């Protein structure tokens, strides 16, 4: 999997060195072939990346979806990703198709990290369905937990202003250029200020999970919107 | 949007929960999920070959035959399937389009059969995927050209003579000599005279034996001057008559005069007439002699008779860049070596290398391996550089020339193909952009129509609107949520540019306490009015009544296009909290007398201090 992620860089570096080596006729001949072999292995590794999900019964037990719903979800998932896993680029492509006017890649990156719970660089069907189960069938507590996890980019349990600013910029990026009123530079920053004013009760510059959940549960709008997408599947 | 992605819409909507805690405005109501029809298998029987697919797969594209209710016409009750009396092989590709979202073109299929099938099933061929699109377009164009050629030949063959005017028939006779015997005779006669004229020019200069009382040999031209002059006159007369006839018969005289062939004609006969005018003046007889050189251009008149010559000329013209580069690199090498040889041979006495331009001749002769021997280096260093020059001449010229010649034809064909692809790419990108903006526009339209629908449902109006598929409604709701989260709206390019312009204009107007506001009429020509509104902005300084705040300028902007009051009210309810939450927009409404300029409907929506009539009030540059 690591090869899969790091492959282009390593290959490139090896390629330059190999080329330089080849210019000098006295260089050891085995160097280039070793790199060739590595790249061949990488190729095999790439093509061998296939993933079969756990059985239907296990997934049914782990998530809150019914059998039929899991079937529909899997069919859609496998249609777009025949190899059974979504890597970050495909994920970004798919998500970007829903927001043609803006640039959804940054937010898709954060979303990807939120779904990729075991941080192995790809989202398998299990990850996908677990995430959806929380989002669509979970309790409000679980949903808020998930949202906190999304905002907490480095997963240290605190949302700092910088992290929130990144997230906010990513959201505003999705709007694109042609908006009304015209998007200004300081709009995301102002939005972050509003957010922190609301959420950061003890004014220590970070938002913890308890402050977050507390504050959201007291906000009527947020509570109402949590139930918005319950009947999506 | 690819059909497969439709399956991910639930995921995108679920992920929208991530926006909820940061949203500053309440979210719009989600669309009611229409009771989803049970997803069942559909059997499609195409001339005996049975295809099966999910109903949802077909309904991804509701504006095609299979995705809409049009397929009910083909329903066969006895066998409980849909029967189509069409080609099953091509149908396979059409069904794959529903499954994968990409339409492919099979190369072995006839283009017109494929087009017919696409037309039958209501699929536009523009969505053919990138992998097959070039091939498809090429085949299509070939087919059309073939049809056109056939038509032209048919037309020209059975064009009735009497229908054309004399002028048109004459032009046709000139352009296609094979149409009538007269034209053919004319064609051959002119050809013969061109040959005679060229031959006379050549023979004129051959030495013909001595004249009676001269020692030196004279050329035939001088000996038989009168004969040659008569011959020349006859030829020129024929050419002149031909040119005038062509000019008369041409459908567009201006275009004819500009064309290459007519220029050649003129250049061919001009020297004779100039010579006629100038024979008595001794001073310019030298120039007159030079002019006779131009008579050789008569040989180019043969290009009307030979298609091959025309193609050669065209080829040279289109490969000018490659030839130009060859010439450029040669020039570089020549200059380098000429310089070197000049400085090398500077020392030797009696050297022919008197200057660098003089050394050019040596370099060219050496590099092309001609080696006349009229200029040779005498110093040792000169000889060394001379040998380097001739060796590199072999490399610079003799090696690349065959390579260039073969590259030539390859590059030529390739550039033709690249041009084609580039032209196609531009239109394709334009179309893709149109589809993308169509998607965005669809959302903007949904905002106009969608809310209309909600409002009118209460009013009991039955609005005619195309049944939006469920996917679109849900997708638009998702985009609406994003708008609410960020408190900004999607608009189209035009509106955005206008708002940018107005922002800059607003910044220009001074910070006086001149206030102006003009509520716009609720008609849709808002853009025009908005523009005219800005002009009186700076002129107006009006006293106010009522509650007033110190403001520099206010712009009252209305929604891009709004068609009815009901929609306005419906939207307005939503925008009230919007305005209150914005920290940087201070609400301010001024009551003022209606401005004399701008809208004729100004009094209909007369200024008032309450929100119910003004639209969104936006204050800028406070």
């Amino acid at each position: 999997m690591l090869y899969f992620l790091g492959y282009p860089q390593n290959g490139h570096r090896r390629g330059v060195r190999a080329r330089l080596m080849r210019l000098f006729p006295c260089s050891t001949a085995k160097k280039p072939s070793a790199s060739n072999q590595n790249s061949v292995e990488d190729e095999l590794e790439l093509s061998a990346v296939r993933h079969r999900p756990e059985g239907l019964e296990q997934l049914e037990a782990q998530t809150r979806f019914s059998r039929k719903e899991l079937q529909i979800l899997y069919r859609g998932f496998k249609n777009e990703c025949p190899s059974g896993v979504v890597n970050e680029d495909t994920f970004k492509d798919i998500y970007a198709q829903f927001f043609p006017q803006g640039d959804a890649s940054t937010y898709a990156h954060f979303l990807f990290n939120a779904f990729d719970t075991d941080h192995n660089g790809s989202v398998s069907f299990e990850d996908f369905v677990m995430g959806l189960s929380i989002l669509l069938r979970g309790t409000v507590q679980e949903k808020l937990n998930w949202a906190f996890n999304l905002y907490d980019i480095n997963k240290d349990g605190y949302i700092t202003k910088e992290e929130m600013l990144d997230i906010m910029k990513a959201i505003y990026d999705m709007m694109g250029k042609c908006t009304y009123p015209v998007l200004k530079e300081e709009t995301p920053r102002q939005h972050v200020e509003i957010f922190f004013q609301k959420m950061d009760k003890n004014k220590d510059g970070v938002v913890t999970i308890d402050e977050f959940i507390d504050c959201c549960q007291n906000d009527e709008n947020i509570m109402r919107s949590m139930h918005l997408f319950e009947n999506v599947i | 949007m690819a059909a497969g992605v439709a399956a991910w819409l639930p995921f995108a909507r679920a992920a929208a929960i991530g926006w909820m805690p940061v949203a500053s405005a309440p979210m719009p109501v989600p669309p009611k999920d229409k009771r989803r029809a049970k997803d069942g298998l559909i059997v499609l029987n195409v001339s005996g070959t049975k295809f099966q697919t999910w109903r949802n797969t077909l309904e991804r594209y509701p504006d095609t035959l299979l995705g809409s209710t049009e397929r009910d016409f083909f329903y066969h009750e006895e066998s409980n399937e849909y029967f189509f009396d069409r080609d099953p092989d091509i149908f396979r590709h059409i069904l794959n389009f529903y499954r994968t979202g990409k339409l492919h073109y099979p190369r072995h299929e006839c283009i017109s059969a494929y087009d017919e099938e696409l037309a039958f099933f209501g699929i536009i061929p523009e969505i053919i995927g990138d992998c097959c699109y070039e091939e498809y377009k090429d085949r299509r164009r070939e087919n059309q050209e073939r049809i056109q050629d056939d038509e032209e030949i048919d037309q020209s063959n059975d064009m009735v003579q009497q229908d054309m005017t004399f002028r048109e028939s004459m032009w046709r006779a000139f352009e296609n000599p094979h149409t009538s015997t007269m034209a053919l005779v004319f064609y051959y006669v002119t050809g013969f005279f061109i040959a005679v004229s060229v031959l006379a020019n050549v023979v004129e200069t051959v030495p013909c034996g001595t004249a009676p009382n001269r020692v030196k040999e004279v050329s035939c031209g001088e000996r038989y001057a009168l004969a040659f002059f008569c011959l020349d006159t006859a030829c020129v007369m024929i050419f002149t008559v031909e040119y005038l006839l062509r000019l008369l018969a041409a459908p567009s005289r201006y275009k004819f005069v500009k064309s290459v062939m007519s220029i050649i004609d003129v250049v061919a006969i001009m020297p004779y007439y100039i010579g006629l005018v100038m024979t008595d003046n001794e001073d310019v007889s030298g120039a007159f002699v030079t002019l006779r050189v131009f008579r050789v251009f008569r040989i180019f008149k043969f290009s009307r008779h030979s298609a091959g010559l025309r193609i050669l000329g065209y080829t040279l013209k289109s490969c000018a860049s490659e030839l130009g580069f060859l010439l450029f690199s040669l020039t570089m090498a020549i200059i380098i070596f000429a310089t070197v040889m000049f400085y090398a041979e500077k020392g030797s006495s009696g050297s022919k290398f008197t200057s660098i331009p003089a050394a050019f001749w040596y370099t060219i002769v050496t590099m092309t391996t001609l080696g006349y021997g009229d200029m040779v280096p005498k110093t040792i260093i000169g000889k060394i550089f001379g040998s380097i020059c001739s060796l590199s001449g072999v490399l610079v010229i003799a090696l690349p020339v065959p390579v260039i010649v073969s590259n030539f034809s390859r590059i030529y064909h390739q550039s033709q193909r690249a041009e084609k692809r580039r032209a196609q790419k531009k239109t394709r990108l334009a179309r893709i952009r149109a589809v993308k903006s169509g998607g965005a526009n669809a959302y903007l339209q949904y905002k106009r129509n969608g809310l209309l629908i909600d409002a009118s449902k209460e009013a009991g109006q039955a609005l005619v609107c195309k049944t939006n598929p469920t996917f679109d409604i849900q997708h638009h709701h998702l985009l609406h949520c994003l708008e609410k989260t960020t408190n900004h709206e999607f608009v189209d390019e035009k509106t955005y540019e206008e708002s940018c312009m107005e922002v800059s204009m607003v910044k220009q107007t001074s910070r006086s306490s001149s206030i102006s506001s003009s509520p716009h009429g609720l008609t849709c020509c808002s853009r025009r009015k908005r523009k005219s509104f800005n002009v009186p902005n700076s002129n107006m300084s009006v006293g106010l009544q009522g509650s007033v705040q110190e403001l520099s300028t206010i712009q009252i902007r209305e929604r891009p296009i709004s068609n009815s009051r009901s929609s306005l009210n419906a939207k307005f309810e939503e925008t009230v909290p919007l305005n209150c939450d914005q920290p940087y927009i201070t609400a301010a409404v001024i009551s003022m007398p209606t401005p004399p300029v701008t809208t004729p409907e100004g009094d209909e929506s007369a200024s008032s201090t309450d929100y119910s009539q003004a639209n969104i009030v936006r204050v800028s540059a406070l």
Side-chain angles (χ1 to χ4, degrees), chain B residues 292-306:
Chain B
R292 302 185 85 175
V293 161
F294 281 101
R295 291 188 301 175
V296 80
F297 275 91
R298 287 179 196 162
I299 206 169
F300 281 116
K301 285 165 71 70
F302 266 129
S303 55
R304 269 214 189 89
H305 297 71
S306 152

Side-chain angles (χ1 to χ4, degrees), chain B residues 164-186:
Chain B
M164 297 197 305
T165 66
F166 179 63
R167 178 175 166 181
E168 281 174 1
S169 60
M170 211 165 53
W171 180 249
R172 221 178 108 237
F174 280 137
E175 292 298 296
N176 308 333
H178 304 282
T179 44
S180 70
T181 17
M182 266 302 293
L184 212 57
V185 161
F186 186 74

Side-chain angles (χ1 to χ4, degrees), chain B residues 273-295:
Chain B
Y273 289 112
I274 296 181
L276 271 187
V277 167
M278 284 197 327
T279 27
D280 35 17
N281 198 340
E282 281 300 319
D283 289 339
V284 295
S285 63
F288 165 64
V289 165
T290 339
L291 265 178
R292 302 185 85 175
V293 161
F294 281 101
R295 291 188 301 175

